[in-house]
Amino acid sequence: MNFSIKTTSPSQAQVDLLILYSWRGEKAETLVPNNLKLQSSIKEAMTREQFRGDEGEYVDIYTKGEIEAYKILVVGLGKEEDFDLYKLRKSIAAATKKAKQFKVKKLAFVPHNSWYKKFEPELVGQSMVEGVVLGGYKFLKYKGKEEKEKNIELEDIMFLVTPNKVAGMEKGLGIGKIFSAATIFARDLINEPAAVTTPTYLAKIALDLGKKAAGQIKVKILEKEEVAKMGMGAFLGVAQGSEEPPKFIVLHTKPAGAREKVVVVGKGITFDTGGLSLKPAEHMMTMKMDMSGAATVLALFAGLTHLKPKVEVVGVIAACENMPSGKAVKPGDILTAMNGKTIEVLNTDAEGRLTLADGLSYAVGQKPQAIIDLATLTGACMVALGQEIAGMWGNDEKLNDKVKKASEVVGEKLWHMPLEKEYKPLIKSDIADIKNIQTGKYGGAITAALFLEEFVDKIPWVHLDIAGPAYEESETTLVPKGGAGYGVRTILQYLLDLGK
Ligand code: BES
Ligand code: ZN
Ligand code: ZN
């Protein structure tokens, strides 16, 4: 896929498909101001097909040689006041999907003029590339030849702009390419079966990233014995039921001029059966995705080597499987985390918080200015916010705001949730410091966040519960069924803003 920014006028663009955008109620005259013949063709199609410019609506027109492009697609945007960078990406992804259906390979997008009134050209460019790449993504590795051949690979994608927008668009295009490649890196990892993405495999991916980055990224893999010496009893408690050896993965990059240090911790359960508190079959079906947080961390480093923001970043993944077996941790067992706190395990399916307890304790030891964790942590968060929105908890308003702002720029939805101290007694244990499930059945995503807070030692920290948006159970415009790579772009944007 080759992207370019061109100042060619839309009527001169030699492409298979020219994509124009229309607000609700916008007239053909303003879409193609200088071409009367084309105006009347578009107008006719719009009237015949009752196109109003609503979001998700489109109309396509053969140009019959009136301009260079073979075909035009007009895409509806809905009302201007409802438009944001998420919808911009969606509108691009939707057009990309249409282009693939039309089986065309060369396209030109004409960004709507009024987009620049709302957003800098740089952000328009970034969003457009992300829309094309993310909307066009398919995981076809295990499909046959026929299915692979049916998938049209777009070849040339042009964005047509006026000369004063070129520099900004070019910059955004560069960022968008890195952001979307990193997201796809995460998607591919999540979509791989758990038989492939074992803890050992994730460690190998990390080591490969280190090798490719030629000294920019240092990677350390801590084996079970070393992890035991460091006192990570909570992580090892989860890992002990599995035949697969656990791996504690640490990635580190410290560019010259870095002022701040951020640790990003990703939940890395490569398969979650629930352990002895075994999950029912339907709930287990998608549990290869329980390493989505880890995939995000690895993808970040794939992106950071190209972006090079001036921030020191440490990535932490406590990777293991959660399996039932004769050696598995049992309900009632007590584990001691690296920070010395004791945890009564009452449900072995609440394993993510156990591995994160040690991941976060390790993060604290790095003495960073901020810790961010991403975890497919609770079904309760999905009940609260649905499939598309992540929950955000944090102990520092400034950090919360920065992460929220980054998420809005990249169009990944998240919602700030309360770290409600009055619920703390719900995770008090009768026999240890805390227990891994709560008393009562409500507010499970909040009590999980409160559990994690026990391990961050007052360092500014944000927890993202990505159980919903990490994995799509049915296709959306920007994500097909399967891994979404959620969080990659938000954290990259946050780091980019921090290291400017
Ligand atoms: N990995 C799951 C959470 C999850 C559920 C992620 C569905 C994505 C989709 C997690 O380890 C888990 O099982 N959590 C339990 C916690 C409970 C036992 C307190 C849950 O949410 O049911
Ligand atoms: Zn679980
Ligand atoms: Zn889990």
Side-chain angles (χ1 to χ4, degrees):
M1 219 174 342
N2 178 41
F3 287 99
S4 56
I5 311 283
K6 294 259 165 72
T7 52
T8 318
S9 94
S11 58
Q12 301 295 317
Q14 294 178 354
V15 290
D16 305 321
L17 188 65
L18 181 74
I19 298 156
L20 305 175
Y21 285 94
S22 160
W23 298 117
R24 187 185 169 156
E26 197 171 339
K27 300 267 182 303
E29 285 82 348
T30 63
L31 290 179
V32 278
N34 304 321
N35 192 326
L36 287 178
K37 251 184 163 175
L38 199 58
Q39 273 175 23
S40 75
S41 315
I42 294 181
K43 216 175 188 167
E44 190 194 334
M46 281 178 159
T47 317
R48 277 197 184 211
E49 300 189 25
Q50 295 182 22
F51 175 90
R52 300 196 309 174
D54 283 338
E55 194 187 331
E57 240 188 331
Y58 72 93
V59 60
D60 55 306
I61 304 121
Y62 287 99
T63 61
K64 295 179 228 142
E66 282 164 18
I67 59 170
E68 294 285 340
Y70 169 66
K71 208 173 186 183
I72 290 179
L73 180 72
V74 183
V75 180
L77 294 171
K79 288 195 210 145
E80 189 166 355
E81 60 266 34
D82 299 336
F83 197 68
D84 57 18
L85 287 166
Y86 169 71
K87 291 204 171 166
L88 199 164
R89 287 176 178 87
K90 241 177 100 178
S91 73
I92 300 288
T96 304
K97 286 198 156 85
K98 269 275 158 288
K100 284 181 133 195
Q101 277 172 23
F102 293 158
K103 300 196 165 93
V104 297
K105 299 192 164 177
K106 241 180 135 175
L107 3 163
F109 285 92
V110 185
H112 199 292
N113 249 329
S114 55
W115 290 355
Y116 301 115
K117 283 190 220 139
K118 285 184 169 241
F119 320 111
E120 293 296 322
E122 189 179 323
L123 275 181
V124 174
Q126 177 184 341
S127 308
M128 292 188 80
V129 176
E130 290 174 15
V132 172
V133 180
L134 301 180
Y137 171 84
K138 280 199 169 115
F139 185 70
L140 295 169
K141 181 170 169 190
Y142 295 99
K143 288 281 193 186
K145 204 171 151 216
E146 204 175 316
E147 195 83 13
K148 278 183 183 146
E149 277 169 4
K150 259 202 297 186
N151 181 45
I152 301 289
E153 296 285 355
L154 300 174
E155 280 166 12
D156 269 317
I157 294 124
M158 296 173 204
F159 301 131
L160 306 185
V161 302
T162 49
N164 61 339
K165 306 286 188 296
V166 171
M169 286 284 287
E170 287 282 4
K171 189 155 181 232
L173 188 144
I175 293 172
K177 275 196 205 168
I178 298 170
F179 276 36
S180 39
T183 306
I184 276 171
F185 181 95
R187 285 183 182 179
D188 283 344
L189 266 178
I190 299 163
N191 287 331
E192 278 291 349
V196 176
T197 48
T198 59
T200 307
Y201 184 86
L202 294 186
K204 188 183 166 298
I205 296 280
L207 289 168
D208 286 350
L209 281 170
K211 259 185 234 149
K212 266 199 225 140
Q216 269 188 72
I217 301 176
K218 296 221 159 58
V219 180
K220 216 168 37 176
I221 311 295
L222 305 178
E223 304 294 334
K224 189 173 141 194
E225 297 69 30
E226 219 167 329
V227 169
K229 264 192 226 147
M230 292 166 78
M232 298 196 192
F235 169 42
L236 289 181
V238 177
Q240 76 192 34
S242 166
E243 297 284 327
E244 287 291 338
K247 303 279 169 180
F248 193 88
I249 304 166
V250 185
L251 305 102
H252 182 203
T253 178
K254 189 179 182 181
R259 294 175 300 273
E260 291 202 46
K261 182 175 185 180
V262 178
V263 183
V264 189
V265 184
K267 174 174 171 181
I269 299 296
T270 60
F271 195 76
D272 184 9
T273 64
L276 290 174
S277 315
L278 197 65
K279 282 184 186 293
E282 320 86 82
H283 290 183
M284 213 189 286
M285 254 176 329
T286 55
M287 280 303 129
K288 66 173 185 185
M289 61 77 99
D290 216 16
M291 38 59 80
S292 297
T296 301
V297 169
L298 293 169
L300 284 183
F301 279 84
L304 284 175
T305 33
H306 303 288
L307 278 176
K308 303 186 177 68
K310 290 198 193 78
V311 191
E312 182 177 0
V313 188
V314 180
V316 174
I317 300 164
C320 69
E321 287 183 334
N322 185 24
M323 299 290 283
S325 81
K327 288 190 184 146
V329 67
K330 302 168 195 75
D333 284 355
I334 294 173
L335 304 172
T336 306
M338 191 180 166
N339 73 348
K341 288 196 181 169
T342 55
I343 306 163
E344 183 186 11
V345 179
L346 288 172
N347 188 317
T348 63
D349 196 11
E351 84 297 338
R353 64 196 76 183
L354 298 173
T355 61
L356 288 166
D358 282 330
L360 292 168
S361 299
Y362 181 90
V364 168
Q366 298 289 309
K367 300 194 170 49
Q369 278 71 52
I371 300 175
I372 299 175
D373 78 72
L374 299 106
T376 46
L377 202 62
T378 66
C381 196
M382 297 169 79
V383 173
L385 297 175
Q387 280 250 279
E388 305 303 325
I389 307 171
M392 177 179 84
W393 286 260
N395 59 1
D396 183 273
E397 283 308 319
K398 273 197 199 133
L399 182 61
N400 291 342
D401 290 348
K402 283 182 196 164
V403 174
K404 177 88 173 104
K405 192 179 147 260
S407 80
E408 282 164 4
V409 169
V410 302
E412 290 185 319
K413 295 174 195 261
L414 61 78
W415 193 253
H416 186 187
M417 303 282 275
L419 201 58
E420 179 52 60
K421 295 288 181 298
E422 291 213 8
Y423 292 171
K424 249 297 126 90
L426 298 178
I427 53 168
K428 244 181 114 74
S429 161
D430 294 333
I431 142 166
D433 292 330
I434 44 172
K435 55 184 179 182
N436 81 328
I437 52 164
Q438 65 180 98
T439 305
K441 55 184 174 185
Y442 302 118
I446 298 177
T447 51
L450 287 168
F451 181 100
L452 299 183
E453 195 197 10
E454 296 287 323
F455 301 90
V456 295
D457 202 22
K458 301 202 170 65
I459 290 178
W461 154 76
V462 153
H463 157 56
L464 297 177
D465 191 332
I466 59 170
Y471 198 85
E472 292 294 347
E473 281 168 29
S474 46
E475 174 166 353
T476 66
T477 313
L478 280 156
V479 193
K481 251 187 185 183
Y486 180 94
V488 173
R489 289 177 301 120
T490 294
I491 307 299
L492 282 177
Q493 188 68 47
Y494 159 78
L495 293 171
L496 198 60
D497 293 342
L498 200 63
K500 263 191 183 146

